[in-house]
Amino acid sequence: MRANRETAVATHPRESYVERVVPFTAGDGRPGNVINVRGPVPATRPPVLLVHGAGVRANIFRAPVDTTLVDYLIARGHDVWLENWRASIDFEPVEWTLDQAALHDHPVAVDTVCRETGAPEINAVIHCQGSTSFMMSAVAGLVPRVRTIVANAVTLHPVVPPWSVAKMQVAVPAIARLTRYVNPHWGDSAPTLLAKAMVAAVRLFHRECDNSVCRMVSFVYGSGFPALWRHENLNDATHQWLREEFAAVPLSFFLQMRECLRAGHLVSVEGYAALPRDYVARPPETDARFAFLGGALNQCFLPVSQSRTYEYLNRLRPGYHTLHVLPRYSHLDVFMGANAARDTFPIIAAELEREAGRRMVARSARATAGSTANLSEVS
Ligand SMILES: [Zn+2]
């Protein structure tokens, strides 16, 4: 982790925020929305879209910690927008695929934010399956107005621990014959015999804490104890709060991820003409700059997932993108960790603000020299 980042930021009391939900209709008619959260001081930076992962919702960026990523970015002048796409548990469960989200949801969400704000370009912070699907949109050239993309956990090259590989190859097809969805919330209330059996099995093997939803999350999404965070990185309130932040995730997603893991990179499964079948077969159709984050202790997607995509894109455009491996962090604690405002948010903000810094240098250099500036990188 870089050491010389600003570590403290004065945040506004959340009571002073104004929140506005803007619904959108996805390309295939499914519901989605973007939530704009504004502080008392008008934003001075471009909109930034925060995109959640599978089986959660936009609220995942607002854990009960002193300073959330939303607080942190608002305090630094960003215009913060949270996207609820079809995987959001705020909507009726649907058997989604990454293709559907890439083609139908994210491009509409980006257009909605641009339309609502009048901004010509926006930035994005994307996480896990919000990241893979948004990456698919970007590679296919469907979100050309997104400038800087901070991507956490996984992008074009998913790599999971060996136990997860076994689960994906053996358990997922078997479970897919029995149910269309699995749900970590079954840990608190299991509606069917299958759900009860799954919870009983998970209780037997996952003894790392007494939060049955936390233990189910680890079984559903990874291989660690727990899989998506380090317990030492969460405060007690967050460990309790997450009980209500996870719900149904369809087997249709896991079956697609199984194909991706086999291929070693993202692949499409729907056959849409607007999306490539293979996402690394040709250079991405985007000028966006990517900053990749990977928790060194991530047991859902191993950090090599991110370094692989970084190396791939770095070969295509050397020195343009960045990679940050985060020591002591796992998967979601990058955003919901009690100390994330000290450890990870400064990196995210610096990446989002880098482009603006470059442009300001360019403008002032042009103003003084009266000619094209030779830019030095500002981070
Ligand atoms: Zn736990």
Side-chain angles (χ1 to χ4, degrees), residues 208-211 214-215 226 229 231 234 239 242:
E208 61 272 23
C209 69
D210 59 4
N211 180 332
C214 178
R215 292 150 77 183
W229 38 76
H231 273 136
L234 301 190
H239 193 233
L242 60 85

Side-chain angles (χ1 to χ4, degrees), residues 108-125:
V108 181
V110 170
D111 287 349
T112 303
V113 172
C114 289
R115 187 193 68 222
E116 290 292 317
T117 59
E121 291 178 335
I122 70 168
N123 297 318
V125 177

